[in-house]
Amino acid sequence: MCKFYLSKGQVIDNRFEIKFQISSNEKAQSYRALDKQSNKTVYLKLCLTNNNEAELLRTISHPNIVNYLCQGQFQGYIYFCTSFVSGESLASKLKREEYLSIFESTNLILGILNALKYLHNLPNPISHNQLSTENILLELKGKAEIIKISGFGKSSFQNDFSQDILSVGKLFYTMLLGEIEEGIEKLKFPDFFDEKTIYILKKCLGLNPFAHYENVDQIIEDINSESLSFTTRKENLGPKKEKVLKTKLNKPKGFSAIAGMECLKATMQLDIIDALNQKEKYEEYGLTIPNGMLLYGPPGCGKTFFAEKFAEEIGFQFYQLKPSDIQSKWVNASQENVKNLFIEAEKKAPSIIFIDELDAILPSRDTDNINHMNTAVVNEFLAQMNNCGERNLFIIGATNRPNAIDPAILRSGRLDKHIYLPPPDFLARKQMFELYLSKRPIDILDYEQLAQLTENFVSSDIKLICDEASRMALKQSSKITMDILSQTIKDTPASLSPQQLSEYAELEKKFSTQRKEKDKKKSKIGFV
């Protein structure tokens, strides 16, 4: 990406105040700006090379084409403004929804075709030449989406419309089945497409050797003359294909679903994942996977979420254990539950056993308020956790109170690694907003500003903010804007007070010091 020439807050011709930088390349830069004369948001494009886009847009006017407003010069470069489309691009919509129904796809294609029909039938016909999901904009009008075509940088006055017709076919196919990853000649048409849909697509894409479209009027006529029966992708799959699709769409995301925590991801990759995938290499160094790790820190920082995504990343059998899962009113039943869990996990090894609220399940036996049954459970866990790595079992414990856990659990040979998860830093908060909002209908957002506004907010706070902002936008039938998010942040207090954060920082320092002192006394550290 080329460096932006205009900065946020800069005013052009005493009229247009730059609000956001949108995109930049060697030919042009685009911005979101405020027209101070009309007090309306506009789209401003700065042309870095000779470009006839502004002059071309001045000559056309259609409901499905962006509306030209004005043009001017800035430091020798031509710029022009069009009305700002309050909505999203087709690319953003498909990224969120993956594919569209035939009903929605047809409506959108007809909007594109209506605009092309207007351009192609002008006294001096125009070919767009660069139709793509990026320059097809969807303006939100109540519950309806209105097509607005933009991106006329490569448009030309000509009578050859074959490129536009081909682009219509690509767009139609992409809306129905997703992005075209290989060449057009390798496209496949599933058997749940009706013949008419395939016929229209092949004629647009030039795949029908006996017929092709000469103009967009013919495409419009074919679409309107037949009721296309391909209703939705899932409705026509049948049980077997629907199961395959469900698996594909719901494929676990693993570490890619986690924003931040880069050091922890790298540690798990080196010590666990690589150790399993490169056993012979690790064995040369006398290393196996560690027996387990302790994740500790304030509530809401993603300890449980990380354990679940780690299991997805590595593909292990995953067992999640809470206090209520093993506790029993019957004598010796709790110990039996623990034993059975480890037997089951070992049968299906490699396995991950995640123990939530570790301090409640394995409290320190040195405290006065622990009863005999709790002591027996701790002893059973100690016995089962010895050298788990050799049995292809990996234990992850999570707690908000590491100082309340029995010390014997934390020694080498059991939970070898101890990792503190603090509230997310600036970069992690920025990535969380990007991740949580990536598949929602969003306006242009300043993620750095959102990260600045949420200092000391934990992961669960940021997720809540994104959900509440989405509800507010849904209620207003609008996109999720910076104003909505900023107001939601103001209305959402952080889960942890500054005093609580300070207490956790002191606890981490104390716990880390104790661990280092113990490690000095040991000859073997980290691996069994």
Side-chain angles (χ1 to χ4, degrees):
M1 178 182 289
C2 299
K3 181 180 179 181
F4 282 100
Y5 286 8
L6 307 180
S7 56
K8 184 178 179 180
Q10 188 171 352
V11 178
I12 308 302
D13 284 348
N14 296 317
R15 178 177 177 181
F16 300 106
E17 180 182 352
I18 303 301
K19 291 296 184 180
F20 290 104
Q21 299 167 331
I22 300 175
S23 64
S24 173
N25 57 45
E26 68 278 1
K27 294 184 178 180
Q29 299 180 348
S30 57
Y31 303 85
R32 179 176 175 177
L34 175 67
D35 183 351
K36 302 179 80 172
Q37 287 186 8
S38 64
N39 200 33
K40 292 183 178 180
T41 300
V42 299
Y43 173 89
L44 185 148
K45 188 169 184 177
L46 185 68
C47 302
L48 305 182
T49 60
N50 292 331
N51 191 301
N52 67 346
E53 186 172 1
E55 292 300 323
L56 187 148
L57 282 171
R58 289 181 65 177
T59 66
I60 59 180
S61 177
H62 188 272
N64 295 121
I65 297 175
V66 291
N67 184 35
Y68 170 87
L69 297 175
C70 64
Q71 72 179 74
Q73 283 197 351
F74 174 77
Q75 295 184 357
Y77 296 116
I78 293 175
Y79 74 85
F80 66 91
C81 295
T82 60
S83 55
F84 187 79
V85 177
S86 179
E88 63 182 333
S89 67
L90 179 58
S92 296
K93 184 180 180 69
L94 290 172
K95 182 180 179 181
R96 186 178 70 254
E97 300 185 17
E98 298 192 32
Y99 59 88
L100 308 179
S101 70
I102 188 65
F103 176 78
E104 188 172 11
S105 299
T106 302
N107 282 340
L108 295 179
I109 282 294
L110 284 173
I112 296 169
L113 289 169
N114 285 333
L116 292 177
K117 179 179 179 180
Y118 163 78
L119 294 172
H120 295 176
N121 287 284
L122 288 170
N124 194 4
I126 296 173
S127 178
H128 188 282
N129 294 330
Q130 200 181 13
L131 286 173
S132 70
T133 57
E134 293 289 348
N135 54 40
I136 301 298
L137 307 179
L138 308 176
E139 185 171 30
L140 197 61
K141 292 288 187 181
K143 294 184 178 181
E145 290 178 327
I146 309 299
I147 283 287
K148 295 285 185 179
I149 294 180
S150 64
F152 285 80
K154 292 187 177 181
S155 299
S156 59
F157 296 99
Q158 62 180 58
N159 289 304
D160 181 3
F161 309 124
S162 57
Q163 181 60 47
D164 285 352
I165 292 172
L166 176 64
S167 296
V168 168
K170 289 181 178 179
L171 289 169
F172 203 8
Y173 186 97
T174 300
M175 282 187 260
L176 293 170
L177 281 173
E179 186 177 355
I180 299 175
E181 298 178 352
E182 299 184 63
I184 292 175
E185 66 280 355
K186 295 183 179 181
L187 289 181
K188 296 181 180 180
F189 298 89
D191 53 13
F192 51 83
F193 268 54
D194 67 292
E195 292 183 3
K196 190 64 179 181
T197 306
I198 296 175
Y199 175 78
I200 292 173
L201 284 169
K202 285 187 173 182
K203 282 188 70 174
C204 287
L205 295 168
L207 297 177
N208 187 331
F210 306 106
H212 64 276
Y213 289 119
E214 295 181 356
N215 54 62
V216 296
D217 298 81
Q218 295 172 345
I219 309 174
I220 295 172
E221 182 179 354
D222 274 352
I223 290 176
N224 289 331
S225 65
E226 295 286 345
S227 176
L228 305 182
S229 61
F230 167 49
T231 53
T232 68
R233 192 178 182 185
K234 289 179 72 174
E235 288 172 5
N236 293 274
L237 293 179
K240 184 176 180 180
K241 291 184 179 178
E242 185 173 359
K243 183 178 180 181
V244 173
L245 177 61
K246 184 177 180 182
T247 301
K248 179 180 178 181
L249 296 181
N250 296 332
K251 182 179 179 181
K253 297 179 180 179
F255 283 168
S256 64
I258 302 175
M261 300 188 186
E262 299 305 326
C263 290
L264 180 53
K265 292 177 190 176
T267 297
M268 301 302 282
Q269 183 71 42
L270 177 65
D271 291 348
I272 310 299
I273 299 174
D274 290 349
L276 287 165
N277 294 332
Q278 305 174 39
K279 284 186 177 181
E280 293 182 358
K281 182 177 180 180
Y282 275 65
E283 286 173 357
E284 287 180 13
Y285 291 84
L287 300 176
T288 62
I289 64 171
N291 294 285
M293 68 186 301
L294 174 70
L295 303 177
Y296 69 100
C301 288
K303 296 182 287 295
T304 302
F305 182 72
F306 180 86
E308 293 171 348
K309 295 305 170 183
F310 170 63
E312 291 178 356
E313 181 77 17
I314 200 170
F316 278 13
Q317 187 75 26
F318 184 73
Y319 297 88
Q320 183 170 349
L321 187 65
K322 301 184 294 292
S324 59
D325 294 329
I326 63 167
Q327 290 172 350
S328 173
K329 64 181 179 178
W330 307 109
V331 177
N332 297 326
S334 295
Q335 301 97 287
E336 194 68 23
N337 290 340
V338 173
K339 181 180 178 181
N340 290 337
L341 170 67
F342 277 83
I343 291 174
E344 176 69 16
E346 192 168 352
K347 286 180 180 178
K348 297 185 179 181
S351 301
I352 294 173
I353 299 176
F354 173 66
I355 309 172
D356 207 357
E357 300 179 55
L358 189 64
D359 53 286
I361 296 177
L362 304 173
S364 174
R365 291 167 294 179
D366 295 334
T367 58
D368 296 331
N369 58 353
I370 188 170
N371 59 43
H372 169 73
M373 291 180 67
N374 288 124
T375 302
V377 170
V378 174
N379 290 335
E380 183 64 34
F381 261 107
L382 291 174
Q384 294 291 341
M385 290 173 67
N386 279 328
N387 301 326
C388 284
E390 296 177 359
R391 293 179 283 155
N392 284 327
L393 301 179
F394 186 72
I395 313 298
I396 302 178
T399 181
N400 304 328
R401 302 168 59 228
N403 53 338
I405 298 170
D406 193 278
I409 299 292
L410 304 179
R411 73 163 178 81
S412 297
R414 289 176 181 139
L415 296 185
D416 303 291
K417 294 187 173 293
H418 309 148
I419 297 177
Y420 176 66
L421 291 185
D425 60 15
F426 175 86
L427 180 59
R429 294 196 301 276
K430 177 175 176 288
Q431 291 175 347
M432 283 179 185
F433 277 111
E434 291 172 345
L435 182 66
Y436 292 144
L437 296 170
S438 63
K439 292 194 174 183
R440 309 190 196 199
I442 56 174
D443 195 4
I444 297 173
L445 302 177
D446 187 338
Y447 291 105
E448 291 189 356
Q449 183 180 347
L450 292 173
Q452 290 171 350
L453 293 173
T454 50
E455 185 176 3
N456 293 333
F457 281 61
V458 297
S459 307
S460 57
D461 292 336
I462 294 174
K463 177 66 164 60
L464 176 63
I465 289 168
C466 294
D467 290 344
E468 290 301 314
S470 297
R471 291 188 182 94
M472 188 179 298
L474 176 64
K475 185 177 180 180
Q476 299 174 4
S477 294
S478 72
K479 298 177 73 174
I480 303 169
T481 65
M482 275 298 296
D483 289 341
I484 290 176
L485 282 162
S486 298
Q487 186 60 49
T488 305
I489 292 170
K490 290 179 182 178
D491 296 339
T492 306
S495 298
L496 299 174
S497 67
Q499 180 181 350
Q500 289 174 304
L501 290 172
S502 177
E503 290 173 355
Y504 271 105
E506 288 298 319
L507 177 62
E508 194 278 331
K509 187 185 299 184
K510 178 181 177 182
F511 191 68
S512 178
T513 302
Q514 291 175 350
R515 187 173 64 250
K516 289 178 181 179
E517 290 176 352
K518 289 179 181 179
D519 288 344
K520 289 179 181 180
K521 302 176 183 180
K522 302 179 185 295
S523 58
K524 295 174 69 176
I525 301 177
F527 292 96
V528 296

